[in-house]
Amino acid sequence: EYNMLTIAWTGTICTDPPMCYISVRKERHSYDIIRRTGEFCINLTTEAMAHATDWCGVRSGRDNNKWEAMHLTPVKNKHVGAPLVGESPLSICCRVRQVIELGSHDMFIADVVGISVDDALIDETGKLCLDKANLAAFAHGEYFELGKKIGMVRRHQRRSLMGFEQSLPERLLVIGKRNLMFRQTQKLPFSHDLAASKQFFQHIMCQF
């Protein structure tokens, strides 16, 4: 059994160990599946997936086969039972560590156990180029494509307590909604080992 659900409330909560969260309403069909399996995959959505993302957010898996209706492809992985969305440029495999009841939503805090990324988004230096993914974003009932680069991380030198110079990034934390899709299913294989996934997840977070 597996399903897809469009999620607005999600994000990174820890670098080491790599962890993230999603918040889900109890009445959603996927809620009980995640509770029972303890697994899910987060899949970034793109401009081309905007219609499917919206459709999967307003239809229930109780009444619809979302994969067939939106012509999306379930892809097996070895870390969790949830398949990846084949059309997504980047997917994050997660295993639930804790569930916190908050009110309208319950928060599923999860460990990241695997990552899959489109090879076309990795340049010759190994850098992840998410700007090439044509990612989509959601704000106040509307969908937007993410576009041009407006800056980059600026580094400065800071002296440590031991007297060594350290190069540290100056970052502005921007909080907002990302439209991500995830799904649950029976057990399936994956290409990245855990150590590589942790390292790559930290690389991804630096670019979000």
Side-chain angles (χ1 to χ4, degrees), residues 134-153:
N134 298 317
L135 296 179
F138 174 86
H140 303 292
E142 298 177 310
Y143 292 90
F144 300 87
E145 60 177 316
L146 301 180
K148 67 178 182 179
K149 173 181 173 181
I150 60 172
M152 60 184 296
V153 174

PDB file of all heavy atoms in Angstrom, residues 134-153:
ATOM      1  N   ASN A 134      14.240  23.667 -12.388  1.00  0.00           N
ATOM      2  CA  ASN A 134      12.936  24.294 -12.626  1.00  0.00           C
ATOM      3  C   ASN A 134      11.951  24.002 -11.502  1.00  0.00           C
ATOM      4  O   ASN A 134      10.798  23.619 -11.742  1.00  0.00           O
ATOM      5  CB  ASN A 134      12.351  23.836 -13.969  1.00  0.00           C
ATOM      6  CG  ASN A 134      13.204  24.231 -15.150  1.00  0.00           C
ATOM      7  OD1 ASN A 134      13.700  25.361 -15.209  1.00  0.00           O
ATOM      8  ND2 ASN A 134      13.391  23.316 -16.085  1.00  0.00           N
ATOM      9  N   LEU A 135      12.422  24.204 -10.268  1.00  0.00           N
ATOM     10  CA  LEU A 135      11.588  23.920  -9.110  1.00  0.00           C
ATOM     11  C   LEU A 135      10.398  24.873  -9.021  1.00  0.00           C
ATOM     12  O   LEU A 135      10.455  26.007  -9.493  1.00  0.00           O
ATOM     13  CB  LEU A 135      12.418  24.031  -7.822  1.00  0.00           C
ATOM     14  CG  LEU A 135      13.554  23.022  -7.671  1.00  0.00           C
ATOM     15  CD1 LEU A 135      14.289  23.268  -6.364  1.00  0.00           C
ATOM     16  CD2 LEU A 135      13.035  21.593  -7.726  1.00  0.00           C
ATOM     17  N   ALA A 136       9.337  24.389  -8.398  1.00  0.00           N
ATOM     18  CA  ALA A 136       8.125  25.191  -8.209  1.00  0.00           C
ATOM     19  C   ALA A 136       7.929  25.471  -6.730  1.00  0.00           C
ATOM     20  O   ALA A 136       8.342  24.691  -5.866  1.00  0.00           O
ATOM     21  CB  ALA A 136       6.909  24.454  -8.764  1.00  0.00           C
ATOM     22  N   ALA A 137       7.299  26.603  -6.428  1.00  0.00           N
ATOM     23  CA  ALA A 137       7.010  26.987  -5.042  1.00  0.00           C
ATOM     24  C   ALA A 137       5.546  27.401  -4.938  1.00  0.00           C
ATOM     25  O   ALA A 137       4.891  27.706  -5.940  1.00  0.00           O
ATOM     26  CB  ALA A 137       7.913  28.137  -4.614  1.00  0.00           C
ATOM     27  N   PHE A 138       5.036  27.403  -3.711  1.00  0.00           N
ATOM     28  CA  PHE A 138       3.632  27.734  -3.449  1.00  0.00           C
ATOM     29  C   PHE A 138       3.554  28.841  -2.418  1.00  0.00           C
ATOM     30  O   PHE A 138       4.274  28.827  -1.426  1.00  0.00           O
ATOM     31  CB  PHE A 138       2.915  26.486  -2.923  1.00  0.00           C
ATOM     32  CG  PHE A 138       1.495  26.718  -2.489  1.00  0.00           C
ATOM     33  CD1 PHE A 138       0.452  26.654  -3.402  1.00  0.00           C
ATOM     34  CD2 PHE A 138       1.193  26.975  -1.163  1.00  0.00           C
ATOM     35  CE1 PHE A 138      -0.862  26.855  -3.005  1.00  0.00           C
ATOM     36  CE2 PHE A 138      -0.106  27.177  -0.753  1.00  0.00           C
ATOM     37  CZ  PHE A 138      -1.139  27.120  -1.670  1.00  0.00           C
ATOM     38  N   ALA A 139       2.688  29.826  -2.647  1.00  0.00           N
ATOM     39  CA  ALA A 139       2.484  30.897  -1.669  1.00  0.00           C
ATOM     40  C   ALA A 139       1.064  31.429  -1.801  1.00  0.00           C
ATOM     41  O   ALA A 139       0.661  31.862  -2.893  1.00  0.00           O
ATOM     42  CB  ALA A 139       3.496  32.021  -1.862  1.00  0.00           C
ATOM     43  N   HIS A 140       0.317  31.365  -0.715  1.00  0.00           N
ATOM     44  CA  HIS A 140      -1.017  31.951  -0.646  1.00  0.00           C
ATOM     45  C   HIS A 140      -1.929  31.531  -1.808  1.00  0.00           C
ATOM     46  O   HIS A 140      -2.542  32.358  -2.477  1.00  0.00           O
ATOM     47  CB  HIS A 140      -0.921  33.477  -0.586  1.00  0.00           C
ATOM     48  CG  HIS A 140      -0.101  33.970   0.564  1.00  0.00           C
ATOM     49  ND1 HIS A 140      -0.499  33.840   1.874  1.00  0.00           N
ATOM     50  CD2 HIS A 140       1.120  34.580   0.593  1.00  0.00           C
ATOM     51  CE1 HIS A 140       0.426  34.349   2.663  1.00  0.00           C
ATOM     52  NE2 HIS A 140       1.422  34.794   1.922  1.00  0.00           N
ATOM     53  N   GLY A 141      -1.963  30.216  -2.057  1.00  0.00           N
ATOM     54  CA  GLY A 141      -2.873  29.685  -3.057  1.00  0.00           C
ATOM     55  C   GLY A 141      -2.398  29.767  -4.491  1.00  0.00           C
ATOM     56  O   GLY A 141      -3.143  29.423  -5.413  1.00  0.00           O
ATOM     57  N   GLU A 142      -1.153  30.190  -4.703  1.00  0.00           N
ATOM     58  CA  GLU A 142      -0.626  30.322  -6.063  1.00  0.00           C
ATOM     59  C   GLU A 142       0.707  29.595  -6.193  1.00  0.00           C
ATOM     60  O   GLU A 142       1.473  29.492  -5.233  1.00  0.00           O
ATOM     61  CB  GLU A 142      -0.445  31.796  -6.430  1.00  0.00           C
ATOM     62  CG  GLU A 142      -1.740  32.594  -6.428  1.00  0.00           C
ATOM     63  CD  GLU A 142      -1.510  34.066  -6.733  1.00  0.00           C
ATOM     64  OE1 GLU A 142      -0.627  34.670  -6.096  1.00  0.00           O
ATOM     65  OE2 GLU A 142      -2.212  34.593  -7.601  1.00  0.00           O
ATOM     66  N   TYR A 143       0.981  29.119  -7.414  1.00  0.00           N
ATOM     67  CA  TYR A 143       2.231  28.421  -7.704  1.00  0.00           C
ATOM     68  C   TYR A 143       3.174  29.330  -8.489  1.00  0.00           C
ATOM     69  O   TYR A 143       2.745  30.078  -9.364  1.00  0.00           O
ATOM     70  CB  TYR A 143       1.965  27.140  -8.493  1.00  0.00           C
ATOM     71  CG  TYR A 143       1.232  26.098  -7.686  1.00  0.00           C
ATOM     72  CD1 TYR A 143      -0.158  26.062  -7.678  1.00  0.00           C
ATOM     73  CD2 TYR A 143       1.926  25.164  -6.929  1.00  0.00           C
ATOM     74  CE1 TYR A 143      -0.839  25.111  -6.925  1.00  0.00           C
ATOM     75  CE2 TYR A 143       1.264  24.217  -6.179  1.00  0.00           C
ATOM     76  CZ  TYR A 143      -0.120  24.194  -6.179  1.00  0.00           C
ATOM     77  OH  TYR A 143      -0.789  23.265  -5.431  1.00  0.00           O
ATOM     78  N   PHE A 144       4.474  29.225  -8.173  1.00  0.00           N
ATOM     79  CA  PHE A 144       5.479  30.054  -8.829  1.00  0.00           C
ATOM     80  C   PHE A 144       6.668  29.192  -9.231  1.00  0.00           C
ATOM     81  O   PHE A 144       7.025  28.246  -8.523  1.00  0.00           O
ATOM     82  CB  PHE A 144       5.977  31.158  -7.886  1.00  0.00           C
ATOM     83  CG  PHE A 144       4.890  32.090  -7.421  1.00  0.00           C
ATOM     84  CD1 PHE A 144       4.129  31.795  -6.305  1.00  0.00           C
ATOM     85  CD2 PHE A 144       4.631  33.270  -8.116  1.00  0.00           C
ATOM     86  CE1 PHE A 144       3.126  32.650  -5.872  1.00  0.00           C
ATOM     87  CE2 PHE A 144       3.635  34.132  -7.692  1.00  0.00           C
ATOM     88  CZ  PHE A 144       2.873  33.820  -6.572  1.00  0.00           C
ATOM     89  N   GLU A 145       7.295  29.532 -10.361  1.00  0.00           N
ATOM     90  CA  GLU A 145       8.549  28.873 -10.711  1.00  0.00           C
ATOM     91  C   GLU A 145       9.696  29.645 -10.070  1.00  0.00           C
ATOM     92  O   GLU A 145       9.634  30.865  -9.922  1.00  0.00           O
ATOM     93  CB  GLU A 145       8.726  28.807 -12.223  1.00  0.00           C
ATOM     94  CG  GLU A 145       8.747  30.149 -12.932  1.00  0.00           C
ATOM     95  CD  GLU A 145       8.987  30.003 -14.416  1.00  0.00           C
ATOM     96  OE1 GLU A 145       9.868  29.207 -14.783  1.00  0.00           O
ATOM     97  OE2 GLU A 145       8.300  30.674 -15.193  1.00  0.00           O
ATOM     98  N   LEU A 146      10.739  28.920  -9.674  1.00  0.00           N
ATOM     99  CA  LEU A 146      11.913  29.549  -9.073  1.00  0.00           C
ATOM    100  C   LEU A 146      12.930  29.814 -10.172  1.00  0.00           C
ATOM    101  O   LEU A 146      13.210  28.941 -10.986  1.00  0.00           O
ATOM    102  CB  LEU A 146      12.494  28.634  -7.989  1.00  0.00           C
ATOM    103  CG  LEU A 146      11.522  28.291  -6.852  1.00  0.00           C
ATOM    104  CD1 LEU A 146      12.192  27.391  -5.830  1.00  0.00           C
ATOM    105  CD2 LEU A 146      11.010  29.552  -6.184  1.00  0.00           C
ATOM    106  N   GLY A 147      13.478  31.012 -10.192  1.00  0.00           N
ATOM    107  CA  GLY A 147      14.276  31.389 -11.345  1.00  0.00           C
ATOM    108  C   GLY A 147      15.692  31.797 -11.102  1.00  0.00           C
ATOM    109  O   GLY A 147      16.502  31.026 -10.608  1.00  0.00           O
ATOM    110  N   LYS A 148      15.988  33.058 -11.408  1.00  0.00           N
ATOM    111  CA  LYS A 148      17.368  33.490 -11.545  1.00  0.00           C
ATOM    112  C   LYS A 148      18.109  33.572 -10.215  1.00  0.00           C
ATOM    113  O   LYS A 148      17.532  33.797  -9.157  1.00  0.00           O
ATOM    114  CB  LYS A 148      17.404  34.857 -12.225  1.00  0.00           C
ATOM    115  CG  LYS A 148      16.815  35.989 -11.395  1.00  0.00           C
ATOM    116  CD  LYS A 148      16.930  37.313 -12.137  1.00  0.00           C
ATOM    117  CE  LYS A 148      16.392  38.458 -11.296  1.00  0.00           C
ATOM    118  NZ  LYS A 148      16.520  39.756 -11.982  1.00  0.00           N
ATOM    119  N   LYS A 149      19.410  33.411 -10.314  1.00  0.00           N
ATOM    120  CA  LYS A 149      20.301  33.542  -9.170  1.00  0.00           C
ATOM    121  C   LYS A 149      20.410  35.017  -8.785  1.00  0.00           C
ATOM    122  O   LYS A 149      20.555  35.887  -9.638  1.00  0.00           O
ATOM    123  CB  LYS A 149      21.681  33.005  -9.555  1.00  0.00           C
ATOM    124  CG  LYS A 149      22.771  33.228  -8.526  1.00  0.00           C
ATOM    125  CD  LYS A 149      24.077  32.659  -9.065  1.00  0.00           C
ATOM    126  CE  LYS A 149      25.245  32.979  -8.169  1.00  0.00           C
ATOM    127  NZ  LYS A 149      26.513  32.435  -8.708  1.00  0.00           N
ATOM    128  N   ILE A 150      20.302  35.313  -7.498  1.00  0.00           N
ATOM    129  CA  ILE A 150      20.393  36.710  -7.049  1.00  0.00           C
ATOM    130  C   ILE A 150      21.576  36.943  -6.109  1.00  0.00           C
ATOM    131  O   ILE A 150      21.778  38.047  -5.625  1.00  0.00           O
ATOM    132  CB  ILE A 150      19.093  37.153  -6.348  1.00  0.00           C
ATOM    133  CG1 ILE A 150      18.824  36.259  -5.119  1.00  0.00           C
ATOM    134  CG2 ILE A 150      17.926  37.118  -7.306  1.00  0.00           C
ATOM    135  CD1 ILE A 150      17.673  36.769  -4.268  1.00  0.00           C
ATOM    136  N   GLY A 151      22.364  35.903  -5.850  1.00  0.00           N
ATOM    137  CA  GLY A 151      23.525  36.070  -4.981  1.00  0.00           C
ATOM    138  C   GLY A 151      24.106  34.726  -4.614  1.00  0.00           C
ATOM    139  O   GLY A 151      23.664  33.686  -5.087  1.00  0.00           O
ATOM    140  N   MET A 152      25.100  34.730  -3.749  1.00  0.00           N
ATOM    141  CA  MET A 152      25.730  33.505  -3.295  1.00  0.00           C
ATOM    142  C   MET A 152      26.252  33.709  -1.878  1.00  0.00           C
ATOM    143  O   MET A 152      26.289  34.832  -1.371  1.00  0.00           O
ATOM    144  CB  MET A 152      26.867  33.096  -4.228  1.00  0.00           C
ATOM    145  CG  MET A 152      27.987  34.117  -4.341  1.00  0.00           C
ATOM    146  SD  MET A 152      29.244  33.632  -5.556  1.00  0.00           S
ATOM    147  CE  MET A 152      29.879  32.143  -4.784  1.00  0.00           C
ATOM    148  N   VAL A 153      26.620  32.602  -1.236  1.00  0.00           N
ATOM    149  CA  VAL A 153      27.146  32.674   0.123  1.00  0.00           C
ATOM    150  C   VAL A 153      28.458  33.434   0.117  1.00  0.00           C
ATOM    151  O   VAL A 153      29.373  33.123  -0.658  1.00  0.00           O
ATOM    152  CB  VAL A 153      27.366  31.261   0.697  1.00  0.00           C
ATOM    153  CG1 VAL A 153      28.045  31.348   2.058  1.00  0.00           C
ATOM    154  CG2 VAL A 153      26.034  30.531   0.820  1.00  0.00           C
TER     155      VAL A 153
END
